[in-house]
Amino acid sequence: MEDFYREYILDHYRNPRNRGTIEAPDITYEDSNPLCGDEIRIDLTVRDGVVDDVKFSGRGCAISQASVSMLTEMIEGMPVDEVKQITKEDVLEMLGIPLTPVRVKCALLGLKVLKGGVYGIDGAADDEDL
Ligand code: FES
């Protein structure tokens, strides 16, 4: 079963979904992984409280890129209030393979950026608060 998840992660890394930027986003946020300096930016447009469009850009390892790619797929069409409820456990479950603590930081970078954006507060998404 882990093989399936590994393939799934690699597929998202090689063929990222929703990669790019939005010209006039309602929400834009970027942040980095303090351990490696990799940065991710997420742009969102919101219509009637629902995520209408989402794009991500930046750079990072396979886990961070695959994780944010999956996350963008997950939140398209989701009410922003529900996006706020996504937990780190949700993201780790979505990835589906055991990760070392360093890799967990990689996996959660996208969520940290997303939470920073939807809460609109700098630093709101400290890993401990996810
Ligand atoms: Fe930088 Fe994974 S090594 S995000």
Side-chain angles (χ1 to χ4, degrees), residues 17-31:
R17 322 307 196 255
N18 300 308
R19 195 156 192 22
T21 55
I22 296 174
E23 199 162 311
D26 295 311
I27 294 172
T28 184
Y29 196 81
E30 66 178 271
D31 206 345

Side-chain angles (χ1 to χ4, degrees), residues 28-88:
T28 184
Y29 196 81
E30 66 178 271
D31 206 345
S32 61
N33 178 343
L35 295 182
C36 61
D38 289 341
E39 288 176 357
I40 288 178
R41 167 179 151 185
I42 295 180
D43 295 343
L44 295 177
T45 53
V46 177
R47 189 178 300 172
D48 300 328
V50 169
V51 176
D52 187 47
D53 194 11
V54 52
K55 293 272 186 283
F56 80 93
S57 53
R59 65 188 168 85
C61 62
I63 294 284
S64 71
Q65 299 295 293
S67 170
V68 70
S69 170
M70 291 177 196
L71 205 49
T72 60
E73 263 196 335
M74 181 202 272
I75 66 168
E76 224 170 348
M78 185 183 270
V80 173
D81 283 348
E82 281 181 32
V83 173
K84 289 180 176 173
Q85 308 302 320
I86 299 171
T87 64
K88 69 177 176 189

